[in-house]
Amino acid sequence: MGDISNKLEKVYLQVREMTDFVPCVGLVLGSGLGEFAANMKVAMEIPYDKIEGFPVSTVPGHSGRFIFGYLEDVPVVCMKGRVHYYEGYPIEDVVLPIRLMRKLGAELLFLTNAAGGVNEGFAPGDLMLIKDQISVFVPNPLIGPNPEELGTRFPDMSEIYDLKLQRVIREAAVRCEIPLQEGVYTQLTGPSYETPAEIRMLRLLGTDAVGMSTAVEAIAGRHAGFRICGISCISNLAAGMSGRPLDHLEVQEAGRKAAESFSRLVKESICAMYRERSK
Ligand code: HPA
């Protein structure tokens, strides 16, 4: 077994000593959705720092945690907090939690994030269904020896965001009367925000929203056989678009304001996906 499989096996066994919970959905909570677990009947929580060898967020006091529980009758594992490449972890550690959720049994991966709006038709607080992504500005998380037991060497990415899951989210948004934008998410490394010239470049490339997570998680998730969907909360207009400098606190505040509808949409979507999963 290679290093990555070994590490995955070690963290998997530690989690399995703490819980036998088998999730159907792995949900990554972006900023703004931090309180999502209030919707759930929580069965078990595991702080990341209780798992030896697991990447822990470098923000003091925010190591993050897995929350296992039921959203209505859907068994879900949430990641409250994720690690970002800009924190200095090797890219294979950044995606380790994704692989772990798959190994624990999850089949659907629901990715959420806060992102800067690059599309000129977007406004802060908008929600955007991720239809596709650009990850060429960050290292591919599959570089290195390929653990065949995890996935194939050259995985297809032509439908990285599952078309059926996209439809379920669109329909859920209509039922909830929540307006939903759609577009392409591009990941950059961060942690500095982009320059206005970089935002113009990204727009030319077809980017609608820009962020510092998610795309590498989607690649590792697809490699591992997940069906994937994702929603970005547009927390701010990207650099150079509003005439004001970007401020992390403002970004977080916008995320909080959209939290209620974001949370409702994610909940409605997951329940609908569970009902439809065998179709
Ligand atoms: N750029 C990159 N990442 C972000 C932004 C942004 O404007 N807003 C929230 N995450």
Side-chain angles (χ1 to χ4, degrees), residues 18-259:
M18 295 184 246
T19 181
D20 56 5
F21 192 96
V22 178
C24 170
V25 179
L27 169 62
V28 182
L29 302 173
S31 46
L33 277 189
E35 301 313 314
F36 185 81
N39 293 290
M40 292 170 38
K41 186 145 53 71
V42 174
M44 172 85 188
E45 298 196 18
I46 303 179
Y48 300 150
D49 60 9
K50 292 280 180 295
I51 309 170
E52 199 193 316
F54 209 70
V56 171
S57 169
T58 52
V59 184
H62 290 86
S63 82
R65 55 185 54 224
F66 283 117
I67 304 173
F68 297 88
Y70 292 88
L71 187 64
E72 300 197 340
D73 55 343
V74 191
V76 176
V77 54
C78 294
M79 284 178 61
K80 179 170 170 159
R82 50 156 63 101
V83 292
H84 299 84
Y85 184 56
Y86 61 71
E87 293 179 78
Y89 285 101
I91 198 74
E92 64 270 20
D93 278 0
V94 172
V95 299
L96 182 69
I98 303 293
R99 289 175 162 154
L100 176 61
M101 292 193 293
R102 179 79 181 126
K103 202 169 164 72
L104 289 169
E107 292 167 10
L108 304 184
L109 178 63
F110 203 130
L111 299 170
T112 69
N113 59 45
V118 175
N119 185 316
E120 288 171 315
F122 289 1
D126 280 358
L127 299 176
M128 183 193 90
L129 174 69
I130 306 176
K131 290 177 61 171
D132 204 346
Q133 68 178 35
I134 295 173
S135 68
V136 296
F137 301 106
V138 288
N140 190 300
L142 309 182
I143 288 174
N146 184 57
E148 283 296 325
E149 62 279 15
L150 294 191
T152 176
R153 172 80 286 187
F154 299 109
D156 175 56
M157 294 287 149
S158 48
E159 197 189 301
I160 186 162
Y161 294 94
D162 188 281
L163 290 176
K164 279 191 193 151
L165 299 183
Q166 289 184 41
R167 175 182 52 74
V168 173
I169 293 175
R170 276 189 205 102
E171 290 170 359
V174 170
R175 279 197 301 281
C176 296
E177 300 184 346
I178 294 171
L180 187 61
Q181 306 277 15
E182 302 193 358
V184 172
Y185 174 91
T186 296
Q187 180 177 353
L188 302 190
T189 64
S192 50
Y193 287 118
E194 302 71 34
T195 64
E198 286 162 349
I199 293 302
R200 289 194 297 276
M201 172 194 76
L202 293 178
R203 192 176 300 119
L204 280 175
L205 295 180
T207 299
D208 297 289
V210 61
M212 306 177 192
S213 62
T214 303
V216 292
E217 297 166 350
I219 291 175
R222 198 69 202 102
H223 176 250
F226 267 119
R227 293 174 65 203
I228 302 176
C229 61
I231 302 178
S232 292
C233 173
I234 305 300
S235 53
N236 56 284
L237 293 180
M241 294 174 69
S242 71
R244 279 184 296 124
L246 293 189
D247 178 72
H248 181 58
L249 289 178
E250 269 181 52
V251 167
Q252 285 181 316
E253 183 53 30
R256 267 193 289 277
K257 279 193 187 143

